[in-house]
Amino acid sequence: GQNIDQPTEMTATEGAIVQINCTYQTSGFNGLFWYQQHAGEAPTFLSYNVLDGLEEKGRFSSFLSRSKGYSYLLLKELQMKDSASYLCAVRSTGTASKLTFGTGTRLQVTL
Amino acid sequence: DAGVTQSPTHLIKTRGQHVTLRCSPISGHKSVSWYQQVLGQGPQFIFQYYEKEERGRGNFPDRFSARQFPNYSSELNVNALLLGDSALYLCASSFSVEQYFGPGTRLTVT
């Protein structure tokens, strides 16, 4: 089975940097995804890590350590529109491209 | 290009009824997955189909079934609806690794 943990809520100030952590335990690992989900909307893809290290994409970066079962999403230069839920998801090995999601971290960006 | 589309957007059903939800993947995507998202939780995997064959099934009862058509669109069927089936049902299509989600169908069971 798989277990994914991430903080329930976080608050940060506009213009600041925030790091959202995700730890996972899995019987078969084939990549880790981060999605952003605004209230009432579908998740949108942010990043994908399958090898250890940092992936940078504009204001967003994601890090993976497979040996530690750990990832983080780093958001820089926060904007009000970044207020959303951030979902960590692990892709399992096997024929199905099944994603197992954490419960999500609700980020509130304040002035 | 159009993204993943789902219909209907919203649906209200009564306990015991059945429901059919529909999904059209992004053009060229042959894989479709279905997820259930209860309020305040992350999406939970229900099914994956690839080239009209079931590739994976999550921990859901047999009341849940799905199929994929030759044009790669898909239907999710739920029989004998329970109050607990109220959720956002998401469809995701993929070509390789990344999954693209549709807007979802909000199902309310009363």
Side-chain angles (χ1 to χ4, degrees):
Chain A
Q2 298 183 339
N3 188 44
I4 299 172
D5 288 314
Q6 50 182 132
T8 305
E9 292 185 358
M10 297 183 72
T11 302
T13 306
E14 188 179 35
I17 300 172
V18 70
Q19 178 175 311
I20 303 174
N21 296 324
C22 171
T23 57
Y24 64 89
Q25 296 169 318
T26 178
S27 54
F29 178 83
N30 196 17
L32 187 141
F33 294 77
W34 283 96
Y35 282 84
Q36 180 192 61
Q37 187 176 28
H38 286 98
E41 299 181 10
T44 55
F45 171 81
L46 290 178
S47 69
Y48 168 64
N49 296 70
V50 66
L51 300 175
D52 290 352
L54 187 68
E55 293 282 341
E56 297 185 81
K57 188 184 294 185
R59 293 190 299 116
F60 293 6
S61 303
S62 58
F63 171 83
L64 175 67
S65 169
R66 287 172 296 170
S67 62
K68 295 182 179 178
Y70 169 69
S71 173
Y72 68 73
L73 179 70
L74 194 70
L75 292 75
K76 303 175 186 176
E77 300 170 14
L78 280 173
Q79 303 174 9
M80 297 298 288
K81 67 178 181 180
D82 297 329
S83 293
S85 283
Y86 291 85
L87 300 163
C88 172
V90 171
R91 184 172 182 233
S92 56
T93 54
T95 54
S97 299
K98 170 186 174 181
L99 291 181
T100 301
F101 284 84
T103 56
T105 299
R106 190 162 58 247
L107 174 66
Q108 181 70 40
V109 180
T110 60
L111 291 172
Chain B
D1 281 341
V4 178
T5 59
Q6 293 185 242
S7 63
T9 306
H10 295 86
L11 201 54
I12 300 175
K13 290 286 189 178
T14 305
R15 276 177 298 176
Q17 289 187 315
H18 72 272
V19 67
T20 298
L21 310 181
R22 296 177 175 82
C23 170
S24 291
I26 293 171
S27 177
H29 288 194
K30 299 181 179 180
S31 174
V32 170
S33 298
W34 287 94
Y35 292 83
Q36 180 197 64
Q37 187 175 24
V38 174
L39 195 64
Q41 300 293 317
Q44 274 204 299
F45 175 77
I46 309 175
F47 285 109
Q48 189 211 3
Y49 277 78
Y50 179 79
E51 289 276 19
K52 296 173 288 181
E53 290 191 4
E54 181 182 305
R55 287 293 185 92
R57 183 185 182 114
N59 188 24
F60 281 81
D62 291 344
R63 300 185 295 107
F64 288 76
S65 64
R67 55 180 176 168
Q68 186 177 32
F69 299 98
N71 66 354
Y72 303 112
S73 67
S74 178
E75 284 183 354
L76 175 69
N77 295 282
V78 187
N79 294 324
L81 284 167
L82 303 174
L83 294 179
D85 295 331
S86 295
L88 179 67
Y89 288 85
L90 295 163
C91 172
S93 76
S94 63
F95 179 74
S96 58
V97 172
E98 182 182 330
Q99 294 194 20
Y100 296 85
F101 284 86
T105 294
R106 172 74 61 187
L107 172 65
T108 302
V109 182
T110 62

